[in-house]
Amino acid sequence: MSEDKLLDKEEMPETAEEHKVSVARENDEIPAGFFRRSKEAKWYVVHTYSGHENKVKVNLEKLVENRGMQDLVLQVVVPTEEHVEFKDNERRLKTRKMFPGYVIVKMIVTNESWYLVRNTQGVTGFVGHGSEPIPLSDEEVRRMGIEKTVIDLNIEAGDSVKVISGPFKGFTGLVEEVNADRQTLKTKVNMFGRATPVELEFDQVDKL
């Protein structure tokens, strides 16, 4: 019988990527065993250097594409919102980041996907307990408007609505047109004594 013995799986040489993960785990960067439990894609919050949110999004999306990891990292979002500014009696819509210093990532957490995101240029870490990312709850995702959900809204043209979120929050208006497919309303909002035409999403209004 040959003296050569078969190598156990633990004795097989590591790939370059596995070696990086092992080094990170030895440095207490990866909680041992955690990533083997994740099978479902969830939304996670990633902390970035201030002002680098869009760069992180672009860099991460390129890395995911180059490494063929689209099945693990599904979407990268920098949440923004519009707000109204009045200057020289003119109304202007401005876009701003909702959460400066953060990027939201929908992903299945594995050793490889964790390492890829964590080591993307501009990323300082995941939001969670230590190195362990904590996913957002369904309610948090809904409130942040990251994923759109189909809303069955019993509103017709001629109904009055109150705006409950967005730049026109607190104003009331009259519905002129309902687009169920796009989940939007064309509404005239009463602002400072004038009726201003705006387009609102179903989840931005309540029926009066």
Side-chain angles (χ1 to χ4, degrees):
M1 182 171 144
S2 171
E3 294 182 358
D4 293 337
K5 67 176 181 178
L6 294 175
L7 290 175
D8 292 330
K9 185 177 181 181
E10 290 151 354
E11 297 175 308
M12 294 292 289
E14 292 181 315
T15 65
E17 196 65 30
E18 288 171 338
H19 177 68
K20 292 177 182 177
V21 172
S22 296
V23 170
R25 181 173 288 149
E26 288 172 3
N27 292 333
D28 292 327
E29 295 177 14
I30 299 179
F34 171 74
F35 303 119
R36 297 302 181 190
R37 300 199 301 267
S38 180
K39 295 181 181 179
E40 180 184 355
K42 291 184 177 295
W43 288 97
Y44 296 86
V45 181
V46 176
H47 194 274
T48 72
Y49 291 116
S50 179
H52 287 234
E53 301 88 357
N54 291 327
K55 290 181 181 179
V56 166
K57 173 179 165 64
V58 171
N59 290 340
L60 181 53
E61 288 174 340
K62 285 182 179 178
L63 286 171
V64 169
E65 183 178 358
N66 291 340
R67 301 193 184 187
M69 294 175 64
Q70 295 91 336
D71 59 330
L72 294 178
V73 182
L74 285 70
Q75 195 173 351
V76 185
V77 175
V78 179
T80 59
E81 63 180 354
E82 291 183 334
H83 69 286
V84 179
E85 289 185 357
F86 289 91
K87 188 175 182 180
D88 299 327
N89 294 322
E90 290 186 3
R91 180 177 61 88
R92 299 179 183 179
L93 280 178
K94 298 284 188 178
T95 300
R96 62 186 177 191
K97 296 183 181 69
M98 294 174 62
F99 310 105
Y102 295 95
V103 170
I104 317 299
V105 182
K106 187 174 187 179
M107 61 186 290
I108 297 174
V109 178
T110 66
N111 292 338
E112 292 73 21
S113 65
W114 181 94
Y115 186 86
L116 182 75
V117 175
R118 178 64 182 81
N119 289 278
T120 297
Q121 186 175 4
V123 170
T124 61
F126 282 92
V127 172
H129 301 311
S131 298
E132 181 177 326
I134 302 300
L136 293 171
S137 67
D138 292 341
E139 176 62 19
E140 288 171 327
V141 172
R142 188 192 67 78
R143 288 204 316 264
M144 294 168 69
I146 302 171
E147 282 188 327
K148 298 297 182 184
T149 56
V150 177
I151 299 173
D152 185 13
L153 193 65
N154 184 25
I155 289 181
E156 300 176 350
D159 288 339
S160 295
V161 294
K162 180 178 181 180
V163 185
I164 58 174
S165 67
F168 303 101
K169 181 178 179 180
F171 291 100
T172 60
L174 187 68
V175 177
E176 294 188 320
E177 184 180 329
V178 179
N179 189 322
D181 293 332
R182 293 181 55 201
Q183 299 264 291
T184 58
L185 305 167
K186 286 186 178 179
T187 310
K188 281 195 173 179
V189 174
N190 299 314
M191 299 177 59
F192 309 112
R194 294 190 303 176
T196 303
V198 298
E199 185 173 87
L200 300 168
E201 297 182 358
F202 279 10
D203 61 357
Q204 290 183 290
V205 301
D206 274 343
K207 184 177 179 179
L208 291 177

